[in-house]
Amino acid sequence: MDTIKQELINFKIAELNELADFINDLKLVKSKAMLKVGQTVWVVQKTKRTPGTITKVKKTKCLVEMNNMLYNVPMTMIESR
């Protein structure tokens, strides 16, 4: 990890922006592959984690049932339980 950090110091701003976009896309693809309908998950916010159940997986968000309500939640805010 230290080697990667040292390499990143030499990158230009445009290269860092491209890398950030790639990392965000990669996170989305990996999280989408792990999420399934019926799976119990944590919805992570800044100061709390709320339990929920996925009812539908969409392109970039999931429909999650929490506290007897349905919410559209970005996949990046969802963790497996």
Side-chain angles (χ1 to χ4, degrees):
M1 192 58 131
D2 290 333
T3 307
I4 293 171
K5 290 178 183 177
Q6 289 294 59
E7 288 294 321
L8 290 175
I9 291 172
N10 299 326
F11 279 34
K12 297 177 183 168
I13 297 293
E15 293 171 327
L16 288 172
N17 288 336
E18 185 178 339
L19 181 61
D21 290 341
F22 172 75
I23 289 171
N24 287 334
D25 291 344
L26 186 60
K27 287 183 354 185
L28 183 62
V29 167
K30 286 189 172 247
S31 64
K32 188 171 185 175
M34 295 178 1
L35 301 175
K36 307 281 185 229
V37 173
Q39 181 179 1
T40 56
V41 294
W42 292 109
V43 177
V44 180
Q45 297 167 313
K46 285 185 178 183
T47 59
K48 65 180 179 177
R49 290 172 27 167
T50 308
T53 304
I54 296 175
T55 58
K56 184 175 183 180
V57 178
K58 300 179 182 181
K59 187 175 181 181
T60 59
K61 297 181 179 185
C62 287
L63 197 57
V64 180
E65 182 180 350
M66 297 183 294
N67 302 325
N68 296 321
M69 297 281 294
L70 292 176
Y71 297 94
N72 278 310
V73 180
M75 290 180 186
T76 56
M77 291 179 60
I78 297 175
E79 290 181 354
S80 296
R81 284 177 68 181

